[in-house]
């Protein structure tokens, strides 16, 4: 089977000054995932590699460069899911880890539990020999400045309305040559969130879903809206009913918009290896592999996805 891959590095109103670096970031992630897939690697390894690279990229709100919560702390969420077995691993509100997606993978492979949060997740990371880090290693000046600015607005809460403070998440979905699909998502969550707040990203079916019979999807956007419509599963269910990846992505975003009024974006791969994306935010940072194996990366504009 011909492999397929699509990744995203946020859908929102993306700060102009980050466009070039962001496009480079999603391109590098797609290249890394694609190199694995074309060498016969698994979809699971490809999405983990792509998302881990975006976590390492300080421009993106995942891993290094994550948003600070209202107490100035960084709490990270991630999920990875294997479409072959429906196995999944997820972490939520974990501190002091540079690559939450790798921790999610370790949880998945351990196979005892599927979702670990907070201190328990951190202890599991330590048990598995992952390197723990100080918050300073995850913190970038852009987010400290944003935090200070939001702190001055004492009553500020992230509402999910479009604002100059973009919400971010990174994600990847892939199909490998064995016909297996996988999805992964990682985020620092919304800016100035309450401590302990968990969005859609690490929640199975909301932030990501993967099932060989239906395809795989990963989402970004306002978590409190996305989880109400279980957005990723809404898309893969639609693909299972026969929609192409692009149709399923557009359908899911329509459901999000019509049922909750919320904003977000989604990437989808269907079991035939077609990829698609859609968003109702002004922009979405996206990279996918075309029919000829070349990588397309861009900040997509406008309110509807397009055929890819
Ligand atoms: N979905 C993430 C959250 O709500 C943020 C985002 O994707 O923009 O935590």
């Amino acid at each position: 089977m011909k492999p397929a891959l699509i990744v995203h590095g946020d859908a929102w109103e993306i700060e102009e000054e980050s466009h070039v670096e962001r496009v480079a970031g999603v391109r590098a992630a797609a290249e890394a995932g694609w190199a694995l897939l074309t060498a016969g690697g698994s979809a699971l390894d490809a999405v983990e590699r792509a998302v881990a690279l975006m976590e390492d990229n300080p421009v993106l709100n995942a891993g290094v460069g994550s948003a600070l919560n209202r107490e100035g702390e960084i709490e990270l969420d991630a999920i990875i899911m294997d479409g072959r077995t429906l196995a999944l691993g997820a972490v939520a509100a974990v501190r002091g880890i540079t690559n939450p997606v790798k921790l999610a993978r370790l949880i998945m492979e351990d196979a005892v539990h599927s979702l670990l949060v907070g201190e328990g997740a951190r202890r599991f990371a330590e048990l598995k020999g992952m390197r723990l880090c100080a918050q300073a290693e995850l913190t970038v000046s852009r987010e400290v400045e944003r935090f200070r600015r939001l702190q001055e607005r004492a009553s500020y809460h992230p509402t999910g309305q479009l604002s100059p403070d973009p919400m971010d998440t990174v994600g990847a979905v892939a199909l490998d040559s064995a016909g297996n699909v996988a999805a992964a998502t990682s985020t620092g969550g919304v800016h100035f969130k309450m401590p302990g707040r968990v969005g859609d990203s690490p929640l199975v079916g909301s932030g990501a879903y993967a099932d060989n019979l239906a395809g795989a999807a990963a989402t970004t956007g306002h978590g409190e809206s996305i989880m109400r419509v279980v957005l990723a599963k809404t898309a893969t269910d639609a693909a299972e009913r026969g929609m192409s990846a692009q149709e399923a992505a557009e359908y899911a975003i329509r459901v999000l918009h019509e049922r909750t009024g919320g904003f977000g974006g989604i990437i989808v791969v269907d079991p035939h290896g077609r990829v698609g994306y859609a968003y109702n935010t002004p922009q979405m940072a996206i990279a996918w592999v075309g029919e000829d194996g070349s990588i397309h990366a861009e900040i997509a504009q406008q309110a509807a996805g397009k055929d890819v």
Side-chain angles (χ1 to χ4, degrees), residues 71-257:
E71 294 181 356
E73 303 280 354
I74 290 178
E75 294 186 332
L76 304 171
D77 306 329
I79 185 169
I80 190 164
M81 185 164 185
D82 182 353
R84 191 172 58 90
T85 58
L86 305 185
L88 69 104
V91 288
V94 66
R95 295 183 184 184
I97 304 281
T98 52
N99 290 112
V101 74
K102 292 186 182 173
L103 179 54
R105 176 81 185 260
L106 291 173
I107 292 168
M108 188 190 103
E109 256 140 37
D110 195 58
V112 176
H113 300 302
S114 297
L115 169 62
L116 293 179
V117 307
E119 186 51 29
R122 191 176 150 89
R123 269 196 255 151
F124 183 80
E126 202 170 11
L127 189 73
K128 290 289 177 180
M130 270 187 93
R131 188 176 70 84
L132 304 184
C133 69
Q135 169 157 315
E137 205 178 311
L138 302 171
T139 310
V140 296
S141 56
R142 175 194 73 238
E143 293 305 326
V144 174
E145 280 156 26
R146 194 193 313 278
F147 170 73
R148 294 213 177 107
R149 192 159 33 79
L150 296 176
Q151 230 181 358
E152 279 163 22
R153 295 161 58 188
S155 59
Y156 177 84
H157 277 280
T159 60
Q161 291 314 301
L162 293 175
S163 78
D165 293 302
M167 304 197 190
D168 285 354
T169 287
V170 304
V173 297
L175 169 83
D176 62 30
S177 51
N180 297 315
V181 296
T185 293
S186 182
T187 188
V190 294
H191 303 101
F192 224 61
K193 62 188 180 183
M194 287 174 68
R197 179 268 187 188
V198 175
D200 60 300
S201 304
L203 304 182
V204 62
S206 291
Y209 200 74
D211 177 350
N212 277 5
L213 303 179
T219 69
T220 177
H222 184 232
E224 283 73 5
S225 302
I226 289 172
M227 64 175 80
R228 286 159 67 190
V229 295
V230 200
L231 190 63
K233 184 76 161 69
T234 294
T236 55
D237 281 352
E240 192 170 19
R241 289 195 302 270
M243 285 190 199
S244 71
Q246 184 59 33
E247 288 165 347
E250 288 175 13
Y251 167 75
I253 293 299
R254 226 171 24 247
V255 171
L256 173 71
H257 192 73

